[in-house]
Amino acid sequence: MTEATEATGRNSLGRTASPMLAGFRLLTGLLQGAALWWLYRSARGDAMEWPATVPALFGPLAMILFMVPVLLLAGAGRMRWPVLLGWTLAATAFLGLLGWYDVASHVAGEFGSNRYPPFLSWPMPLFAATALFIGHHLVLPADMERKWIAAFPTYFDTAWKAGVQLALSIGFTGALWILLFLGAALFKVIGLDFLQDLISKDWFSIPVSCVTFATAVHLTDVRDGLIRGVRSVVLMLLSWLLLLMTVLAAGFLGALPFTGLDGLWETGSATALVLSAAAALIILINTAYQDGRPDNRPPAVLRGGVRVAAVLITPLIVIAVWGLALRIGQHGLTPDRIIAFACAVIGAAYAAGYGFAALSPFWRKGADWMRPLERTNVWTAVLEVAVILALFSPIADPARLSVADQMARLERGAVKPDQFDYRFLRFQSGTAGEAALERLTGSTDPVVARSARNVREVENRWDNTDIGSPNRTPVFEIAPVGAALPPGFAVAVPPTDARAECNTSGTCVATARDMNGDGSLEVLVADNWAIQLWTREASGAWSKAGQWTSRQCYGPGSTRPDMRVVLRKGDLRSVEPVWPELEVDGVRTGPFDPDRDCRPVATAPR
């Protein structure tokens, strides 16, 4: 750490210990608790009150009152008061914009529903909190050193210290409530319910939680050296996990030429999985590099691990972008894919900077070891804030971009009208999707117009899931190998059809057999616990007649066979029922349901 940073830290610590600062933090916590209780009270019960009756106001208020006081707690005593005030106003405007636009651009009943308070759709609040954390630790070091761009050790020190401080403060608040519940239970044993009644009141629980959190922030600031010690231990432990993650990532990449990428693509979440691995490497690399000072360099084995891990990020990002491009090419844009693309762009920035730092050993030795990593971290942090602002504002709204892309695919014939996901427009793409769906009701294509009108009548995304949803072609593993299923069985079916649940390779095994000796083939479909029987109706359509399961035959601790394995081996045969069905008043009761099923056939009574 530089001398200027150390001096700033000493001055900050002196201010932290002042009674005035302690009073400011406690007052901030109390006012936050009162404001959050007011919001909660307005939204409680069926009869909501203002401001809960105005979602476009309630959503931004909830974000601001939950997050901005935390910035005040973290910045007080460390930032100059004019800078802290300006940063607080900027953060308030940032949260207000994101919260208002999120509520205004979505409709009730969507996935991640904003029908109920706080009327915000997931994961926007999480991304907003991430942007505030990053932004705060860009502003704070700059103010501490009186520079636009501070020294990297200051960024590292403030950000990682704040992370530990946040975790300890949340843990302290949780510990308080554990003790309160324990005390309430003790008093209740002797017939005193006052404490249990008190902690159940929202006018008590919400303010107390906020004041407790503010107290924890202040106490951890006073014990500044203790926090740094805890942080050092955490970083040391995590840094050694870098070696394990590097071996796993290298092994995964080394095996791909022999296994191929088909298995990865079939997971349906290849991009998220690979991006998560890259993110883990980025975090662990920083736990080993830390502030980059020569006296804080890790052992030689970790330095080698850092270089290898930094290089491995690039192929992981390439695979993630490749998988994402394939999905977009096949099915078009969706909000999730746009967010994944934004994460891939950020990952590419890290990969470029870290790769350059790792591959420059000849002219970057000693104190300059991996030095380009520092600039990469700072500028990529700025990029992250900009990307989050773009994603959750009108600049690059994922819902708007997805609707435009899906409508273009429908218009140019890339997707057939009966395969188009009209429910996406109705329930997953906000007001942009609603407007597009309204336009489709006037389409000259009768299938498009009828489907759009039908899905507009659905009030809840969980109702009538076959209306407006695209048909799905089931994926079957056919047994035995080389056999075929009867025509018309493995075709695109509505989501309500049980065959649509066989949507990934390995989920279902199917085989064709004549089960009742009538000369026509039925189809058996097995998942891990049951075998379904499908029969062809007189109209030629296939319907599920029933299923066999042995789940009730195996108690706890016993091994139940996987029905897919049974069907692959062909290890089953038809047997006559031991006891007949009954006919009662001209109605068949169905097969006999024995108290002890699954007995060996050889011992069954005849």
Side-chain angles (χ1 to χ4, degrees):
M1 186 183 300
T2 64
E3 293 182 3
T5 305
E6 290 176 352
T8 306
R10 287 193 297 270
N11 294 337
S12 172
L13 184 56
R15 291 194 300 269
T16 299
S18 69
M20 183 177 296
L21 183 58
F24 172 80
R25 282 184 167 138
L26 292 177
L27 180 61
T28 299
L30 181 61
L31 292 177
Q32 181 191 25
L36 290 178
W37 171 74
W38 169 65
L39 277 185
Y40 176 80
R41 184 173 178 272
S42 72
R44 184 177 53 187
D46 296 330
M48 292 191 295
E49 304 173 357
W50 188 90
T53 54
V54 186
L57 174 63
F58 189 95
L61 274 179
M63 295 249 293
I64 292 169
L65 294 178
F66 191 83
M67 299 182 193
V68 170
V70 179
L71 293 182
L72 288 172
L73 295 175
R78 294 188 174 275
M79 284 186 188
R80 290 172 294 171
W81 289 107
V83 176
L84 179 59
L85 177 60
W87 166 233
T88 301
L89 292 176
T92 301
F94 175 82
L95 293 174
L97 170 64
L98 264 61
W100 169 81
Y101 184 75
D102 183 76
V103 175
S105 62
H106 290 81
V107 294
E110 288 188 302
F111 183 71
S113 175
N114 60 348
R115 175 178 295 178
Y116 306 106
F119 309 109
L120 301 169
S121 60
W122 188 256
M124 188 276 295
L126 176 62
F127 278 91
T130 302
L132 281 191
F133 183 89
I134 295 171
H136 183 78
H137 294 97
L138 290 173
V139 175
L140 174 59
D143 181 59
M144 291 173 66
E145 295 192 358
R146 310 297 192 263
K147 298 178 181 178
W148 285 102
I149 300 178
F152 181 77
T154 311
Y155 288 116
F156 169 83
D157 181 69
T158 55
W160 281 91
K161 181 199 167 191
V164 174
Q165 192 176 14
L166 179 63
L168 291 176
S169 299
I170 294 174
F172 181 79
T173 306
L176 170 80
W177 279 103
I178 292 174
L179 294 179
L180 286 177
F181 280 115
L182 177 60
L186 290 174
F187 279 110
K188 188 173 183 179
V189 168
I190 58 176
L192 299 177
D193 296 334
F194 74 95
L195 185 56
Q196 183 175 4
D197 293 339
L198 180 63
I199 64 178
S200 65
K201 305 296 184 182
D202 49 70
W203 57 262
F204 174 82
S205 59
I206 296 176
V208 163
S209 297
C210 294
V211 171
T212 302
F213 181 83
T215 303
V217 170
H218 185 74
L219 292 176
T220 51
D221 251 1
V222 171
R223 300 294 184 182
D224 195 65
L226 178 62
I227 296 301
R228 284 191 168 88
V230 173
R231 182 192 65 190
S232 298
V233 173
V234 171
L235 291 175
M236 184 270 294
L237 293 175
L238 289 176
S239 66
W240 286 99
L241 291 178
L242 173 65
L243 297 179
L244 173 62
M245 188 62 204
T246 302
V247 170
L248 294 175
F252 167 75
L253 294 171
L256 286 181
F258 304 98
T259 63
L261 291 169
D262 291 343
L264 184 63
W265 302 149
E266 289 171 358
T267 64
S269 56
T271 298
L273 184 63
V274 177
L275 285 177
S276 297
L281 284 177
I282 293 169
I283 293 172
L284 293 175
I285 286 171
N286 281 277
T287 63
Y289 184 80
Q290 299 191 24
D291 57 9
R293 292 184 297 158
D295 60 344
N296 205 24
R297 293 174 64 186
V301 64
L302 274 182
R303 294 201 300 272
V306 166
R307 288 195 185 277
V308 174
V311 173
L312 293 178
I313 295 173
T314 297
L316 289 175
I317 297 298
V318 169
I319 292 173
V321 173
W322 186 5
L324 187 61
L326 290 176
R327 297 293 290 179
I328 292 174
Q330 293 170 346
H331 307 291
L333 291 177
T334 64
D336 289 344
R337 290 176 194 140
I338 293 176
I339 293 175
F341 175 77
C343 293
V345 169
I346 294 171
Y350 276 113
Y354 282 33
F356 176 76
L359 297 176
S360 57
F362 300 106
W363 61 90
R364 296 190 180 278
K365 298 180 180 179
D368 288 336
W369 172 71
M370 292 288 292
R371 183 61 59 85
L373 174 150
E374 299 178 1
R375 292 194 299 272
T376 300
N377 282 351
V378 175
W379 290 111
T380 306
V382 176
L383 174 64
E384 289 171 2
V385 175
V387 167
I388 291 173
L389 175 61
L391 282 177
F392 299 99
S393 70
I395 300 173
D397 180 8
R400 178 175 56 82
L401 296 178
S402 299
V403 168
D405 180 71
Q406 294 294 340
M407 291 291 287
R409 284 170 53 84
L410 179 63
E411 291 170 359
R412 68 173 181 265
V415 57
K416 297 179 180 179
D418 61 340
Q419 296 292 318
F420 187 74
D421 191 354
Y422 300 90
R423 295 177 74 88
F424 167 76
L425 300 180
R426 176 70 175 88
F427 294 112
Q428 291 176 265
S429 52
T431 53
E434 285 277 1
L437 193 63
E438 174 66 24
R439 293 198 303 271
L440 291 182
T441 59
S443 172
T444 56
D445 188 314
V447 175
V448 172
R450 182 176 65 254
S451 300
R453 286 193 296 268
N454 289 343
V455 80
R456 289 196 70 199
E457 300 298 324
V458 181
E459 294 296 328
N460 189 297
R461 68 171 281 108
W462 309 116
D463 295 341
N464 303 317
T465 55
D466 58 327
I467 297 178
S469 296
N471 292 343
R472 305 171 186 172
T473 302
V475 180
F476 295 117
E477 175 189 338
I478 303 176
V481 176
L485 298 178
F489 184 77
V491 297
V493 294
T496 51
D497 192 297
R499 286 171 287 179
E501 298 178 4
C502 302
N503 51 15
T504 58
S505 177
T507 302
C508 299
V509 178
T511 189
R513 287 194 180 191
D514 182 2
M515 297 298 294
N516 55 3
D518 63 353
S520 61
L521 291 176
E522 287 78 38
V523 177
L524 301 179
V525 177
D527 56 19
N528 64 332
W529 68 274
I531 297 178
Q532 303 170 3
L533 173 66
W534 289 80
T535 60
R536 191 195 298 268
E537 299 176 355
S539 62
W542 289 88
S543 63
K544 180 183 173 183
Q547 65 185 19
W548 293 277
T549 174
S550 59
R551 178 162 48 180
Q552 71 272 22
C553 307
Y554 298 87
S558 60
T559 302
R560 177 174 56 83
D562 188 323
M563 291 301 191
R564 292 169 297 189
V565 176
V566 172
L567 210 59
R568 287 190 192 105
K569 294 180 178 179
D571 191 17
L572 53 84
R573 62 186 179 89
S574 302
V575 295
E576 293 292 332
V578 176
W579 305 107
E581 295 183 14
L582 294 180
E583 182 180 308
V584 179
D585 291 335
V587 178
R588 297 178 64 171
T589 61
F592 176 67
D593 185 12
D595 291 334
R596 189 177 77 86
D597 205 351
C598 307
R599 54 187 175 274
V601 176
T603 61
R606 298 186 180 277

